[in-house]
Amino acid sequence: MRRSGIAFGGVCAVTTVLSPLAAVAQEGGVLLTFGIENRLEVIRNEALSVPADGTDVANATFLSFGLRSETALDRLAFFASGAAIVENAAGDSGTELDFGRATVALDYRREVPSALLELNASLRNDDVGSFEDLAAADESGTQTDYGLAARLEIGRTSTVGLALGLEYEATDYQDVSDPDLVDTTEARADAAVILRFSEVATGRLGLRYSEREEETAGATVTRTLVSYAGLDYSVSERLDLSAEVGYAEIETEDFGLVERVTGPDLRLGATYDMPVGTLSALLRVTTDEDDDRRETFEIGRDMETPRDTISARLGVTRADTTGTDLVGSLLWDRDLPDGSLGLELAHRVSFDDDDGEIGTSIVSVTWLKNINEVSSISLDVAYEQSDSDVETIQQVSFGAGYSQQLTQDWNLDTGVEYRVRDDADGRARSPGVFVALSREFQVRP
């Protein structure tokens, strides 16, 4: 059963477990957290179809487990959750039992003065529409994302050091309605020699390699090799400069035909410490297989005060195939005397061989008010628009929720949502309601 971004679907159980784990991060030792949540959802036209589907009713029981261990040298964090779902979906015959909405995350870090080791693993399984992709929000089917990553740094206290990294990511689709949603895998590796010239200057020489496979009709394979040299330099206590100059070689194989693209991979940046926060500038020149060379220049401002946290970016991007566009983002969170207020504004540009240039704009507002020590209400409003050569997609989402702490361990959450989507198929509406009862407890062995 699909849930929109503001329907709180399944996220309640995840957030409930992760928050206390973070809160005790500095206490050391081992902390085990167990959680259970039973959630009833009723959503009409959940897939935002035109014409509209019927009403879906689902009862999901989530079980979650979290572990965090911290010593002077290493940190380990593990989280896993999944749900048993009893669902009566629109258009299906009878009631079905399924197991899904799985989430797994593992992070391990061991650090000594001269070396650093990081290991990460993740998995997420859910309906296609629950992932953050506006174009696929009205699609049916199941998506599974999983990945592994490892990073090693040695010689951190020496004049010459070495950094190595490996990553593997995959996306699998099952029973999807859109034939353009194809399974993909991507493997990445990087190696760099770190040269510490002085306390204020550090250089690096390295290689980055990636191989992406897409199960399209032509079995598309994209291989990218970037060789680079970089330098970080502290001009003063407040001003830092960085530069990285590289050369990219991209080879794309489709239907047995090979196409090669070569070009620069350049990064020039500056960061200046202000009385409150930082001011930054970044110039990026990249080469890829879709729009050849792209140049992007951004100015950023980050600041944090007792009440506000602000991160802003504004810039311009230009590509050989699409011309020049404005890009930017604004994230603003304010602590209120009895709650919080959040604002997000963003506009980004990308390119796809099938859809051409894609411009995505987002506006969202979140508001939380604490009624008293045990209850709160929340409102979420979001507007998203995606413009491409193929179609224009607009989606408005509204959500309202109420949370009540019944006892020290038990919580009640309930809410409503309403979504409206306009695309090439027409206008679709989807109202929904949910109620959830959850409990968590912690154990220190």
Side-chain angles (χ1 to χ4, degrees):
M1 187 176 190
R2 179 181 298 109
R3 282 126 346 257
S4 70
I6 61 172
F8 316 105
V11 177
C12 293
V14 175
T15 305
T16 301
V17 174
L18 289 182
S19 297
L21 287 179
V24 299
Q26 302 302 322
E27 297 183 11
V30 177
L31 176 72
L32 305 179
T33 304
F34 300 87
I36 182 171
E37 176 184 310
N38 191 78
R39 177 187 180 88
L40 176 65
E41 303 169 338
V42 181
I43 303 179
R44 182 178 180 274
N45 192 26
E46 186 183 18
L48 291 168
S49 303
V50 179
D53 288 336
T55 300
D56 295 352
V57 180
N59 187 84
T61 301
F62 291 88
L63 295 176
S64 60
F65 169 74
L67 179 150
R68 185 172 186 105
S69 174
E70 185 168 355
T71 69
L73 297 180
D74 52 17
R75 295 199 307 267
L76 172 66
F78 175 78
F79 174 80
S81 72
I85 308 167
V86 180
E87 182 176 14
N88 192 330
D92 293 342
S93 57
T95 302
E96 297 182 354
L97 173 63
D98 193 13
F99 296 91
R101 304 188 190 178
T103 300
V104 178
L106 171 68
D107 293 287
Y108 175 75
R109 178 186 177 95
R110 181 175 178 83
E111 185 174 9
V112 296
S114 61
L116 169 68
L117 173 65
E118 291 183 321
L119 302 174
N120 309 97
S122 63
L123 179 144
R124 182 186 174 191
N125 170 270
D126 211 330
D127 295 325
V128 172
S130 66
F131 290 78
E132 296 181 0
D133 185 350
L134 183 61
D138 61 343
E139 303 294 342
S140 61
T142 303
Q143 179 176 338
T144 302
D145 288 352
Y146 55 93
L148 299 169
R151 183 159 189 84
L152 174 66
E153 295 182 24
I154 57 177
R156 302 178 74 199
T157 57
S158 304
T159 304
V160 179
L162 180 65
L164 302 171
L166 294 172
E167 292 183 67
Y168 179 83
E169 294 181 351
T171 298
D172 294 334
Y173 296 99
Q174 299 86 35
D175 303 322
V176 293
S177 57
D178 186 353
D180 292 332
L181 297 177
V182 297
D183 295 348
T184 62
T185 61
E186 183 169 0
R188 294 186 291 269
D190 65 89
V193 177
I194 311 300
L195 306 171
R196 298 178 180 87
F197 303 116
S198 67
E199 293 183 355
V200 298
T202 301
R204 56 191 177 276
L205 298 171
L207 296 172
R208 288 191 291 263
Y209 177 79
S210 67
E211 181 170 311
R212 178 182 177 88
E213 298 184 12
E214 304 173 64
E215 293 189 7
T216 59
T220 305
V221 179
T222 304
R223 303 178 182 89
T224 303
L225 176 63
V226 179
S227 52
Y228 65 91
L231 176 66
D232 298 324
Y233 184 74
S234 296
V235 178
S236 66
E237 293 183 355
R238 304 181 68 177
L239 177 62
D240 294 326
L241 301 179
S242 64
E244 184 174 290
V245 179
Y247 181 75
E249 302 174 70
I250 305 172
E251 180 181 278
T252 304
E253 182 178 351
D254 195 17
F255 289 102
L257 301 177
V258 177
E259 180 180 349
R260 290 181 175 85
V261 176
T262 60
D265 192 282
L266 172 69
R267 181 185 185 276
L268 301 175
T271 303
Y272 185 76
D273 291 335
M274 304 286 287
V276 179
T278 60
L279 177 66
S280 61
L282 177 64
L283 171 65
R284 282 297 311 270
V285 179
T286 59
T287 304
D288 61 47
E289 72 278 10
D290 290 326
D291 55 359
D292 294 337
R293 191 169 72 181
R294 176 175 290 276
E295 297 130 8
T296 303
F297 176 73
E298 286 185 340
I299 296 177
R301 182 74 167 95
D302 295 284
M303 58 184 298
E304 186 170 350
T305 68
R307 294 185 60 186
D308 300 289
T309 300
I310 300 175
S311 177
R313 300 289 184 273
L314 181 62
V316 60
T317 183
R318 179 191 177 279
D320 295 338
T321 55
T322 59
T324 303
D325 296 276
L326 285 175
V327 294
S329 64
L330 171 65
L331 296 175
W332 174 38
D333 293 303
R334 161 163 284 198
D335 291 331
L336 303 177
D338 57 354
S340 62
L341 177 67
L343 171 66
E344 178 184 3
L345 303 174
H347 179 73
R348 56 181 179 267
V349 177
S350 60
F351 185 86
D352 183 84
D353 281 337
D354 297 325
D355 299 332
E357 184 183 44
I358 304 173
T360 303
S361 301
I362 300 173
V363 180
S364 70
V365 179
T366 59
W367 175 70
L368 173 69
K369 177 179 175 60
N370 297 317
I371 302 173
N372 50 45
E373 294 182 354
V374 296
S375 62
S376 63
I377 59 174
S378 61
L379 293 176
D380 301 82
V381 181
Y383 171 81
E384 297 178 74
Q385 178 171 312
S386 175
D387 290 306
S388 69
D389 297 340
V390 177
E391 67 174 339
T392 296
I393 303 172
Q394 295 177 324
Q395 183 166 312
V396 178
S397 304
F398 169 81
Y402 172 78
S403 179
Q404 172 79 38
Q405 184 178 354
L406 302 177
T407 68
Q408 184 176 355
D409 297 324
W410 288 94
N411 292 279
L412 174 68
D413 295 284
T414 184
V416 297
E417 70 161 349
Y418 189 77
R419 295 177 293 154
V420 180
R421 179 185 175 95
D422 284 291
D423 57 22
D425 295 329
R427 170 169 290 192
R429 298 176 176 84
S430 175
V433 61
F434 78 91
V435 60
L437 185 65
S438 61
R439 183 183 189 274
E440 70 164 33
F441 61 94
Q442 299 175 348
V443 177
R444 283 191 177 274

